[in-house]
Amino acid sequence: MNQNNNNLWLKAAVLGSLWAASEIVLGSFLHNLKIPFRSNILTAIGIVLLISASQQWREKGLMWRSGLVCAIMKSISPSAVIFGPMVAIFMEGLLMEAAIIVFRRTTIGFLIAGALAMTWNFIHFLINKFIFYGFQFFDLYQNSVQFIEHQYHISILNLSQLIMVLLSIYFISGLVVAWIGITIGKKSVKQRVPLKSISVDEVNRIKKTPTTLVFNYSLAWLLIDILGVAAIFIIIYLLDFKISVIAGILIFSVFLFRYPRNVKKIMNAFFMLSLLILILFSIGVVYANHPYRQSLFIGLQNGIEMSLRAIILVVGFAAIGTELKNPVISQWARRSMFHKAAQAIEIAFLTLPTILSSIPPLKIFIKKPALAIYEMISYLDYWFEEAELKYVAKKNVLIITGKEKVGKSTFLGKLVYELKARGLVIGGFVSPAVFEQNQHKGYNLLHLISQQEIPLSRTEPMAGAPKVGNYYFNPQSLEEGNRWLQIENIEQTDLVVIDEIGPWELRRQGWANNLTAIAKNYPNPIILVVRASIVDKVISHWGFQEVSVIDIETDQNPLQNALQVLDKWLR
């Protein structure tokens, strides 16, 4: 693909991944606590993200592509119900793109885009109710209105009037949300987020690697799932009540056998209570309008049919969403006419762990949502660089690792000594530990070209110094160390050393920007010191391929092994 189109899909990968991160992190929180209007809150966040990002990235087609990426990535959400939200997310991106095409990139265009996306949230709700329950659901409301007006002579909005009122409310709220997005986007263009501290708890959280469950995907089961969902429509409409119930139980049993975790998540007490209320409400409304004994059975039958269809469809869509993660489908997509989108989605999945580890904590979203989104948008260009790194895939990278305080920097000093003895010119720096009265007080920076040594971090507080874990970092030393790593200052070297890459760099700070530039533009080998707990995260973050990792604790001859690897690369 040409460079412009490549950049467009890469940006869509980043923005879609950012949108998906907010859906995954905040969405699971809202759904677990059963927060009212949670889908509207998530839609509002998506609108703000897209409109804010559009103040920086002005490419046509970015919104619908981002919606597509986010919709596909929604498949990894902890929620069991994902198929419906995937459709809703893509439609929101599509409607926003349509508004920008018609009204252009003006304030009016962005406002209309937000209003349409938010309004779709309500339209999607109506469509879902129709799909899950049929016309009976809307008949329940109309019958309720007729009963109340007849019995109490109170005028209530009929179904059409109620829909128009709610559409207006959604449209206006979309305008407000879009305006917030415009404001945040303009602010993020003018101001960048400064260096931030990271607490010990956050450092430990970054180190933790989430576990994933293995699932045996099957194209045959995907077909069975689709047929099962379609069958419940046909059976309920064409066959009698008893056969419908028996068929529904059989279909549900098939889903339960194949997807027990999904069913367990869906069939919770809250969901079952809502279905029970629906059944009782159906009985009450039918009997109130036709007070005969037979009406009780009709109301019960209608309620059971609506509940049965809702259960099968919710579980069925969850099953379809699960099977759509099949790697075979992903590989087919990469070979098909949709290969550009497939590449973007693949990059988005690779970028997602970094974004998830970098987005503001959940408490910031709750207390100061605008600030949280502002910080996310301010890092867009950094995450775009990471997406580019996935394409570069630098290979001649040697990582020296081990647990904390086991002598990684000491080992690195020996390795550097051996390399210099061979006449190699080495750029970058090592970080020797500083001790006072046998107590560890911090680290220095030793420039490997000039041999200049400066204080980097200390355990004692320093005015204006960002804190990472237990250490305060000297801003002037950070600036000098980054100057040593600039491409123009290492282009004449044979290799570059960076001691070390840690959780701060995974938050796009510290040495992160220069390591990104080196990975993209420096052809010679690089040596990184990385603590063992985050080696995989660093490799993923910078898109390194075929990395050589030397663990100084477990390798029998780490120095000789490291020299052999570097000799092969430096020939």
Side-chain angles (χ1 to χ4, degrees):
M1 61 182 108
N2 62 55
Q3 186 60 34
N4 290 336
N5 206 17
N6 176 53
N7 285 344
L8 175 57
W9 275 106
L10 285 178
K11 288 181 177 180
V14 172
L15 188 52
S17 184
L18 183 59
W19 189 358
S22 68
E23 286 273 341
I24 292 168
V25 174
L26 191 58
S28 60
F29 170 78
L30 295 174
H31 283 283
N32 288 338
L33 292 185
K34 308 299 180 185
I35 301 296
F37 306 109
R38 49 191 177 271
S39 62
N40 299 330
I41 294 173
L42 293 173
T43 298
I45 291 175
I47 293 170
V48 173
L49 286 175
L50 260 63
I51 292 179
S52 298
S54 295
Q55 309 307 303
Q56 295 184 44
W57 295 346
R58 308 178 67 84
E59 288 86 351
K60 294 179 179 179
L62 179 62
M63 288 187 174
W64 76 261
R65 286 175 170 86
S66 300
L68 175 63
V69 171
C70 179
I72 299 299
M73 297 187 73
K74 182 68 176 177
S75 64
I76 71 169
S77 171
S79 172
V81 183
I82 56 175
F83 192 76
M86 288 170 65
V87 174
I89 289 169
F90 177 63
M91 284 301 301
E92 288 163 12
L94 202 61
L95 287 170
M96 293 181 73
E97 188 69 50
I100 297 302
I101 291 174
V102 174
F103 298 98
R104 302 185 181 277
R105 300 179 55 82
T106 61
T107 300
I108 295 297
F110 288 122
L111 291 175
I112 296 298
L116 290 179
M118 186 61 79
T119 303
W120 171 257
N121 205 28
F122 178 62
I123 296 174
H124 182 78
F125 166 81
L126 293 178
I127 294 174
N128 272 346
K129 296 308 174 187
F130 171 71
I131 293 175
F132 288 161
Y133 304 116
F135 283 113
Q136 293 158 310
F137 181 81
F138 301 105
D139 290 341
L140 277 176
Y141 179 83
Q142 286 293 92
N143 290 334
S144 301
V145 169
Q146 293 173 7
F147 173 75
I148 293 173
E149 290 182 341
H150 178 73
Q151 290 293 116
Y152 302 102
H153 306 288
I154 298 174
S155 180
I156 297 178
L157 294 176
N158 61 37
L159 184 61
S160 299
Q161 292 170 334
L162 179 63
I163 289 176
M164 291 305 299
V165 169
L166 291 176
L167 280 175
S168 300
I169 293 173
Y170 273 78
F171 190 88
I172 294 171
S173 63
L175 295 175
V176 174
V177 170
W179 179 258
I180 295 173
I182 295 171
T183 304
I184 292 176
K186 289 181 178 179
K187 180 181 177 182
S188 66
V189 171
K190 296 178 181 178
Q191 296 176 292
R192 292 299 178 189
V193 176
L195 289 174
K196 294 179 59 181
S197 298
I198 302 181
S199 68
V200 175
D201 289 341
E202 288 179 277
V203 170
N204 291 332
R205 182 169 63 85
I206 292 172
K207 294 177 188 177
K208 293 178 182 177
T209 303
T211 57
T212 55
L213 297 174
V214 177
F215 184 82
N216 295 320
Y217 299 102
S218 168
L219 294 178
W221 271 105
L222 175 60
L223 179 60
I224 292 172
D225 296 340
I226 295 172
L227 292 176
V229 171
I232 200 64
F233 280 97
I234 299 172
I235 291 170
I236 288 178
Y237 279 113
L238 297 184
L239 302 179
D240 64 35
F241 175 71
K242 292 181 180 179
I243 296 177
S244 298
V245 171
I246 294 172
I249 292 174
L250 290 175
I251 294 172
F252 176 80
S253 299
V254 171
F255 287 139
L256 178 61
F257 169 77
R258 174 66 173 170
Y259 313 97
R261 292 182 68 251
N262 280 359
V263 174
K264 183 179 178 180
K265 285 184 178 181
I266 293 170
M267 305 301 290
N268 54 54
F270 182 84
F271 181 69
M272 298 305 296
L273 179 61
S274 65
L275 294 181
L276 178 60
I277 293 173
L278 178 65
I279 293 173
L280 294 175
F281 187 65
S282 176
I283 295 173
V285 169
V286 174
Y287 184 77
N289 283 280
H290 305 282
Y292 305 107
R293 187 175 181 180
Q294 184 67 19
S295 299
L296 294 174
F297 175 75
I298 295 174
L300 175 63
Q301 179 176 315
N302 289 342
I304 291 176
E305 286 183 348
M306 286 189 288
S307 299
L308 181 63
R309 182 163 67 173
I311 291 172
I312 298 300
L313 290 180
V314 172
V315 175
F317 285 157
I320 292 172
T322 299
E323 297 293 354
L324 284 175
K325 303 176 194 176
N326 194 328
V328 174
I329 297 176
S330 301
Q331 293 172 7
W332 168 80
R334 284 195 291 270
R335 294 192 299 266
S336 70
M337 61 182 294
F338 307 107
H339 67 279
K340 295 178 183 178
Q343 285 179 324
I345 292 166
E346 185 176 354
I347 294 298
F349 273 110
L350 292 173
T351 307
L352 182 62
T354 304
I355 291 179
L356 285 172
S357 68
S358 303
I359 62 176
L362 188 60
K363 63 181 181 181
I364 300 298
F365 269 105
I366 297 171
K367 294 180 179 179
K368 300 178 180 179
L371 175 62
I373 295 175
Y374 161 65
E375 290 188 9
M376 294 165 69
I377 294 299
S378 296
Y379 288 122
L380 276 177
D381 289 333
Y382 299 134
W383 286 321
F384 175 65
E385 284 183 346
E386 180 174 333
E388 289 185 299
L389 287 171
K390 308 303 180 185
Y391 280 101
V392 174
K394 186 172 177 62
K395 295 180 179 179
N396 49 354
V397 179
L398 174 65
I399 291 180
I400 307 300
T401 190
K403 296 179 181 178
E404 295 181 53
K405 297 181 174 63
V406 296
K408 296 187 293 294
S409 294
T410 302
F411 170 81
L412 181 60
K414 296 177 182 179
L415 178 60
V416 168
Y417 177 84
E418 292 289 338
L419 293 171
K420 284 191 172 183
R422 302 182 183 194
L424 296 175
V425 179
I426 304 175
F429 48 75
V430 295
S431 303
V434 176
F435 293 88
E436 295 179 8
Q437 298 178 346
N438 294 324
Q439 290 187 346
H440 185 241
K441 293 294 184 179
Y443 296 91
N444 285 347
L445 275 188
L446 175 61
H447 189 206
L448 294 175
I449 295 178
S450 67
Q451 296 303 304
Q452 179 185 359
E453 188 167 351
I454 57 178
L456 175 61
S457 63
R458 294 294 185 267
T459 54
E460 294 84 6
M462 289 186 286
K467 185 182 181 184
V468 180
N470 296 314
Y471 299 96
Y472 294 87
F473 280 76
N474 188 315
Q476 289 75 30
S477 298
L478 288 170
E479 183 177 346
E480 184 68 3
N482 275 307
R483 188 181 66 81
W484 293 340
L485 293 177
Q486 290 174 358
I487 293 296
E488 58 267 27
N489 294 325
I490 61 172
E491 57 186 357
Q492 300 301 320
T493 60
D494 296 304
L495 57 89
V496 168
V497 172
I498 305 178
D499 179 18
E500 72 175 291
I501 300 298
W504 211 28
E505 281 70 28
L506 291 174
R507 285 290 185 89
R508 293 291 185 181
Q509 303 194 57
W511 319 122
N513 290 345
N514 276 305
L515 177 54
T516 296
I518 290 169
K520 290 167 59 177
N521 304 300
Y522 185 71
N524 297 336
I526 60 176
I527 302 175
L528 306 176
V529 175
V530 183
R531 60 192 68 178
S533 57
I534 60 171
V535 167
D536 291 341
K537 292 179 182 293
V538 168
I539 293 173
S540 174
H541 186 104
W542 276 276
F544 299 140
Q545 296 291 325
E546 301 175 17
V547 180
S548 292
V549 179
I550 302 294
D551 190 322
I552 65 171
E553 295 181 278
T554 60
D555 281 27
Q556 292 183 348
N557 195 343
L559 183 60
Q560 187 61 35
N561 291 340
L563 290 171
Q564 287 178 355
V565 169
L566 293 169
D567 284 342
K568 180 179 65 175
W569 290 340
L570 292 167
R571 287 173 186 169

